[in-house]
Amino acid sequence: MPSLFHPYDLGPVHLKNRIVMPPMTRTRTSEGDLPTDGDVPNDLMATYYGQRASAGLIVTEATDVDQSSHGYARTPGIHSEAQMQGWRLVTDDVHRYGGTIFLQLWHVGRMAHSSVLPNGQAPVGVTAQRAEGSSVFAHGPDGRLGYMPTETPRPLRTDEVSAMVRTFAKAAANAKQVGFDGVELHAANGYLFEQFMNSVLNTRTDRYGGGRVEDRTRFLLEVVDAVVAEFGPGRVGVRLSPFGTYGSMPADPLTEETFLYVAEQLGRRGVAYIHLLYELTPDGNMETAEFKPRHLDPALLARARAMFPGAFIWCGGFTDRERAQAALDTGLVDLIAFGRPYIANPDLAERLKHGWPLAEADRSTYYTRHGEAGYTDFPAYLLGSAARDAGSAHLVDIRSA
């Protein structure tokens, strides 16, 4: 059986181990000089990702493909020159320390609030159905940032959906230009792609409508084709959360049919991996959401694996080496993503390999604070001979050790 620490060839991309740092929104962007700049990646973010370059693969926080996809405050984009320059700082730092990094691309769809959208416009979605009970990080009536209820979306016209395919392609081209090794499409957690794929929510009657699986997955697959054309086979991943209800997604009786169809179609298109996520609780927001201990039925995952020749990444709830290795030992997945453990453990791969203790982060610093506190101020752990003799630990920067 492969070890968590064995290398893995993800298509043309060589990974030094099978540990993935998955997307985690951290709201540490800077404001651009111009309104069109959007929220901009910065030196602090470059340090954060560079510190974690010993992961086999880093997938960045979700990144807006244009201004209309900006549903949460302080999340970065890849559509302005200022944002591209900021992301170049990140890719340079990760590559300087021997890391591999993909950019996650998203459009939030109806999971948005007008206070963070251009000119206070309404969110857009597959239909006009609001995500009842969900909230996003946005500006309140007094201008302060906090969690605001999502607003009623405007349904995208058919021509706008087609135009959005080109928007994703341009975002992928921008990502390639600034040095990313690949991109991941965020088709999970109740955001725009999943809004289209859900047969209950998608009541459209056009060619992107929900009546047939071919139609409700058309938007995602058209974007996949466009992005693979920009980046090439083996450098595009897709994140899915079958049976998930986060983002007020209605239970879908056709989830299994949709998942298997998408897996087969992604395999035909040269997609590098499918990134599978545990279910998130349907209530609350980024700060209160929790992972439920739910996996896909192994028989269903085995069927998907037979249809999809690329890799499977499993994310959600992994906090130790033993459970991660047990998941690899099933033969159903190839890579394991550790989310929250990466917040306080920049050298997580080394800690897991050597059995070093894991630090824990203060949850209040996850999202809504600026600065390095709870972000880049966690030291790496390296146990040296002097520390062993003294019965204590040296805290150093693992990147230069």
Side-chain angles (χ1 to χ4, degrees):
M1 290 292 181
S3 164
L4 197 61
F5 310 103
H6 285 166
Y8 185 82
D9 287 327
L10 187 66
V13 182
H14 180 73
L15 308 182
K16 55 193 168 190
N17 57 54
R18 294 169 183 248
I19 297 171
V20 177
M21 176 182 165
M24 290 183 286
T25 293
R26 300 301 309 277
T27 61
R28 294 308 205 280
T29 56
S30 300
E31 293 183 2
D33 295 331
L34 301 173
T36 54
D37 285 343
D39 287 324
V40 178
N42 50 39
D43 286 314
L44 186 66
M45 292 171 60
T47 298
Y48 169 76
Y49 284 110
Q51 287 174 337
R52 289 153 178 80
S54 61
L57 173 65
I58 294 173
V59 186
T60 71
E61 60 210 273
T63 301
D64 298 312
V65 294
D66 71 359
Q67 289 180 300
S68 77
S69 70
H70 189 56
Y72 296 78
R74 296 180 184 163
T75 55
I78 188 66
H79 51 83
S80 74
E81 184 61 34
Q83 290 167 343
M84 292 174 65
Q85 291 174 7
W87 279 122
R88 173 60 80 175
L89 299 174
V90 173
T91 59
D92 283 350
D93 216 41
V94 170
H95 291 152
R96 183 177 301 118
Y97 296 110
T100 300
I101 185 167
F102 278 35
L103 181 71
Q104 190 188 65
L105 301 175
W106 76 343
H107 193 299
V108 298
R110 68 177 187 164
M111 290 291 291
H113 191 271
S114 59
S115 68
V116 295
L117 288 168
N119 304 313
Q121 68 190 35
V124 296
V126 62
T127 66
Q129 178 63 48
R130 187 169 78 87
E132 300 279 352
S134 290
S135 59
V136 294
F137 188 55
H139 297 281
D142 60 358
R144 294 183 180 181
L145 286 170
Y147 286 94
M148 302 292 119
T150 57
E151 295 178 323
T152 300
R154 174 184 65 80
L156 285 164
R157 302 188 308 270
T158 303
D159 64 300
E160 290 179 305
V161 181
S162 298
M164 191 67 69
V165 174
R166 297 189 293 274
T167 299
F168 271 90
K170 174 60 175 172
N174 290 347
K176 185 177 183 180
Q177 184 177 333
V178 299
F180 281 99
D181 300 295
V183 293
E184 177 179 289
L185 299 177
H186 194 350
N189 297 139
Y191 298 118
L192 189 60
F193 287 121
E194 192 168 51
Q195 292 164 30
F196 273 86
M197 291 190 290
N198 187 287
S199 69
V200 176
L201 180 62
N202 185 350
T203 57
R204 299 172 69 99
T205 57
D206 63 0
R207 67 193 189 98
Y208 296 103
R212 301 189 311 146
V213 66
E214 294 85 357
D215 294 331
R216 65 176 177 273
T217 60
R218 188 185 306 278
F219 174 46
L220 171 62
L221 296 177
E222 286 183 354
V223 170
V224 168
D225 287 337
V227 172
V228 169
E230 289 289 345
F231 243 106
R235 293 185 180 271
V236 177
V238 176
R239 195 178 215 201
L240 301 171
S241 55
F243 303 103
T245 52
Y246 186 77
S248 305
M249 292 298 291
D252 184 357
L254 301 182
T255 294
E256 184 173 319
E257 171 193 353
T258 303
F259 172 56
L260 293 174
Y261 178 79
V262 168
E264 179 185 23
Q265 292 299 313
L266 295 181
R268 293 181 178 182
R269 288 165 164 81
V271 166
Y273 65 79
I274 292 174
H275 189 170
L276 291 173
L277 183 66
Y278 272 117
E279 183 180 1
L280 287 161
T281 54
D283 54 343
N285 50 55
M286 291 190 300
E287 287 195 338
T288 61
E290 294 286 353
F291 286 108
K292 290 182 178 179
R294 172 179 179 173
H295 294 275
L296 288 181
D297 180 348
L300 176 60
L301 186 52
R303 290 175 64 190
R305 193 162 180 79
M307 297 176 174
F308 180 72
F312 279 92
I313 301 174
W314 204 321
C315 179
F318 290 104
T319 58
D320 58 62
R321 172 176 176 170
E322 289 72 27
R323 291 187 62 225
Q325 186 61 54
L328 281 183
D329 290 346
T330 66
L332 295 175
V333 295
D334 306 283
L335 305 163
I336 302 296
F338 293 81
R340 289 175 183 167
Y342 255 115
I343 293 176
N345 301 278
D347 57 334
L348 182 66
E350 289 81 10
R351 294 192 188 218
L352 294 173
K353 184 174 183 178
H354 297 289
W356 297 338
L358 301 185
E360 292 187 12
D362 177 356
R363 187 164 180 159
S364 70
T365 66
Y366 279 8
Y367 306 110
T368 55
R369 294 185 181 182
H370 277 306
E372 66 176 17
Y375 190 60
T376 58
D377 59 341
F378 295 105
Y381 181 108
L382 187 63
L383 193 64
S385 57
R388 287 196 297 271
D389 293 341
S392 61
H394 284 294
L395 296 175
V396 301
D397 189 337
I398 196 76
R399 300 175 304 172
S400 60

